[in-house]
Amino acid sequence: MRTFYGKIFVCFLLLIFGVSLLYLSCVIYRSYNALKDDIVRSGFALTESLACGSELAVLGRDPTFLFPIISGISKSEDVLFSAVYTERGAVIYSRKKVKISDEEIAFDLLERIKKNRKPIKREGVTVGNQKYYDFIVPIFPSGTLGSQCESEEKCEVIGFARIIFSLKRVEEERNALIVMGLLMSVFIIFVGAIVSRALAKGITKPVHLLIK
């Protein structure tokens, strides 16, 4: 009889723990993705703002126009690198907080952006092994965004704006969620053991009375 009670107890405990663990995993996964989506939205918005404010600097090849806007952008803890390039990929002005391996944009990537006239997002790792998102937005005359192009001439790419966003904050938030999930798992095991014991007793007691 005790063996039957033990099996019922273990089955209920595993069931409760399994369902709870699945729920916690879904919550952590969705929260982590929501944080990454927030970084993507912020990254594109900030890089497009840089692109819109960089036309004079690109046309005149004058970095002084970029000092105020890039200085403001660099104040964000998430921004690791910000730069503006000519249409051929030459750096007009840049500011970095960490060392990255590809400060220059590859020629084939530049050509692809020119052809598609769309901003892109890439993932990478700094020399110090810090993960990041790399946003590159084409610069058009009169600060026109790619989605607002009305003609081929107006949509000519005259340069590129680039901002690299650190994923450190996202990783820290994910680790905090994992720790919280582990603590919740311990609590669920404790509560599940109590509930499983009560359920096991409720099932085995009538059987025990019938045997007697």
Side-chain angles (χ1 to χ4, degrees):
M1 193 65 194
R2 288 183 178 179
T3 303
F4 178 62
Y5 169 82
K7 288 181 178 180
I8 295 294
F9 172 77
V10 171
C11 286
F12 274 115
L13 182 60
L14 290 175
L15 178 63
I16 293 172
F17 178 70
V19 172
S20 302
L21 186 62
L22 180 63
Y23 173 75
L24 286 173
S25 299
C26 290
V27 170
I28 292 172
Y29 177 77
R30 292 185 65 179
S31 299
Y32 179 61
N33 282 341
L35 288 169
K36 291 178 74 174
D37 290 342
D38 183 56
I39 288 290
V40 171
R41 285 192 296 270
S42 299
F44 275 126
L46 200 57
T47 312
E48 286 177 350
S49 296
L50 176 59
C52 288
S54 302
E55 182 187 2
L56 289 177
V58 172
L59 293 175
R61 302 295 193 265
D62 187 352
T64 57
F65 289 108
L66 298 172
F67 293 166
I69 186 169
I70 288 186
S71 295
I73 289 172
S74 298
K75 290 179 181 178
S76 172
E77 294 182 0
D78 294 327
V79 175
L80 299 178
F81 177 85
S82 52
V84 172
Y85 301 79
T86 66
E87 75 282 1
R88 295 186 177 181
V91 178
I92 297 175
Y93 182 69
S94 67
R95 181 172 291 191
K96 61 182 178 181
K97 297 177 183 176
V98 296
K99 187 176 181 181
I100 60 174
S101 57
D102 57 345
E103 292 187 19
E104 295 183 358
I105 305 175
F107 177 77
D108 59 337
L109 182 59
L110 292 180
E111 292 302 312
R112 179 154 56 93
I113 298 173
K114 286 180 183 179
K115 181 179 179 181
N116 298 331
R117 298 185 179 87
K118 299 292 183 182
I120 66 165
K121 172 185 69 70
R122 303 184 299 169
E123 295 187 31
V125 180
T126 65
V127 176
N129 206 33
Q130 185 175 343
K131 294 181 180 179
Y132 63 74
Y133 277 156
D134 185 3
F135 301 93
I136 304 175
V137 174
I139 301 172
F140 302 101
S142 302
T144 306
L145 297 179
S147 59
Q148 301 171 334
C149 288
E150 298 174 358
S151 65
E152 288 290 324
E153 184 179 349
K154 192 174 181 180
C155 286
E156 179 188 1
V157 177
I158 60 173
F160 302 90
R162 182 186 186 190
I163 294 180
I164 292 179
F165 264 72
S166 170
L167 292 180
K168 183 180 180 181
R169 180 166 59 89
V170 176
E171 297 294 325
E172 289 175 349
E173 291 286 346
R174 183 195 62 180
N175 293 337
L177 287 170
I178 292 174
V179 171
M180 182 188 70
L182 291 174
L183 293 175
M184 287 293 295
S185 298
V186 173
F187 176 74
I188 289 169
I189 290 174
F190 176 73
V191 174
I194 296 174
V195 174
S196 298
R197 186 171 183 272
L199 290 172
K201 275 190 174 182
I203 293 174
T204 56
K205 188 175 182 180
V207 177
H208 182 67
L209 291 174
L210 285 174
I211 293 174
K212 283 188 175 182

